[in-house]
Amino acid sequence: GAVVSQHPSRVICKSGTSVKIECRSLDFQATTMFWYRQFPKQSLMLMATSNEGSKATYEQGVEKDKFLINHASLTLSTLTVTSAHPEDSSFYICSARDTDVSYEQYFGPGTRLTVT
Amino acid sequence: DAKTTQPPSMDCAEGRAANLPCNHSTISGNEYVYWYRQIHSQGPQYIIHGLKNNETNEMASLIITEDRKSSTLILPHATLRDTAVYYCIVKDSGYALNFGKGTSLLVTP
């Protein structure tokens, strides 16, 4: 099946710093990518939908100035958590929809962010 | 708003069939039923999806009732590696997946 990678797999940063997470589709083109966040013992919550070449669409309650999303190519989307705080500590997961197979979404392995 | 209802947890003996139910009584005509699973601390994995016909692949079978208000995911011979949270999601093909709480399946030796 199609592969989506995320980098880094885990990151620890200090409060007030910014962290960038990359999401890549390795063997297919993805016009649309999605970013999710998952807190311990909870389900995945959709944060934003990222379309190549255009601005991301954020879900209600997600601050677009804090969670910067860039989708500059058909295989790469990035999520930057700006001025991170301990409450931003979470498991961040991206998914990508295969442009040629619109019904399938493939998920990355996730990035564990810990803000100290 | 939750579009699907699943039992919070289920147990299954290794080697037996695991039948995971899902209610989606408000499903609309153009919405598909998708199943994903998430093993602890990993990204979700696609299992199967269907519109109205029953579907089978190498991982599982999906049985959808004739009125489409409920479905059952069947893992024919569960193994310990099938222990995971299973999510039933209904959506139009063009939209994002919205995850509910899912069913935590524990496969026991």
Side-chain angles (χ1 to χ4, degrees):
Chain A
V3 178
V4 174
S5 70
Q6 280 184 242
H7 178 78
S9 58
R10 57 178 65 233
V11 57
I12 301 172
C13 70
K14 292 187 176 180
S15 186
T17 62
S18 295
V19 174
K20 179 184 285 188
I21 302 170
E22 294 185 348
C23 176
R24 293 181 185 272
S25 57
L26 298 185
D27 50 3
F28 66 98
Q29 293 187 330
T31 306
T32 304
M33 291 185 174
F34 304 92
W35 287 95
Y36 295 82
R37 180 169 53 180
Q38 185 174 33
F39 293 108
K41 298 189 185 300
Q42 294 188 22
S43 187
L44 285 80
M45 302 241 348
L46 179 66
M47 298 176 67
T49 301
S50 165
N51 291 298
E52 186 264 338
S54 62
K55 289 184 179 181
T57 302
Y58 291 81
E59 295 298 302
Q60 191 173 7
V62 178
E63 300 174 54
K64 60 181 175 66
D65 294 329
K66 181 171 181 61
F67 298 98
L68 302 179
I69 293 172
N70 183 282
H71 191 166
S73 78
L74 287 173
T75 60
L76 174 64
S77 176
T78 61
L79 168 69
T80 301
V81 183
T82 63
S83 186
H85 291 285
E87 57 265 31
D88 298 322
S89 298
S90 188
F91 192 49
Y92 291 86
I93 306 170
C94 73
S95 72
R97 190 167 68 212
D98 190 328
T99 301
D100 293 330
V101 188
S102 64
Y103 57 78
E104 287 214 33
Q105 284 185 38
Y106 303 97
F107 284 81
T111 296
R112 176 77 58 191
L113 170 63
T114 303
V115 185
T116 60
Chain B
D1 292 341
K3 286 185 145 184
T4 64
T5 303
Q6 298 178 252
S9 64
M10 293 182 66
D11 292 347
C12 177
E14 188 179 18
R16 306 296 290 268
N19 297 286
L20 290 86
C22 179
N23 286 322
H24 32 79
S25 58
T26 60
I27 191 171
S28 62
N30 59 343
E31 287 184 317
Y32 289 75
V33 180
Y34 288 78
W35 284 83
Y36 281 76
R37 72 180 183 184
Q38 185 180 26
I39 296 170
H40 183 63
S41 293
Q42 297 182 25
Q45 177 189 21
Y46 167 82
I47 301 173
I48 200 167
H49 78 286
L51 184 62
K52 53 184 177 180
N53 297 323
N54 297 337
E55 303 287 341
T56 295
N57 62 21
E58 63 278 4
M59 288 184 69
S61 294
L62 174 60
I63 308 299
I64 304 174
T65 58
E66 193 169 341
D67 62 8
R68 302 210 320 128
K69 292 186 177 182
S70 65
S71 61
T72 301
L73 177 74
I74 301 172
L75 307 178
H77 305 287
T79 71
L80 299 178
R81 288 180 293 181
D82 292 322
T83 292
V85 179
Y86 287 76
Y87 296 98
C88 168
I89 302 167
V90 296
K91 78 171 190 76
D92 186 286
S93 63
Y95 294 91
L97 293 161
N98 285 299
F99 289 79
K101 296 182 179 180
T103 295
S104 179
L105 174 68
L106 175 64
V107 181
T108 56

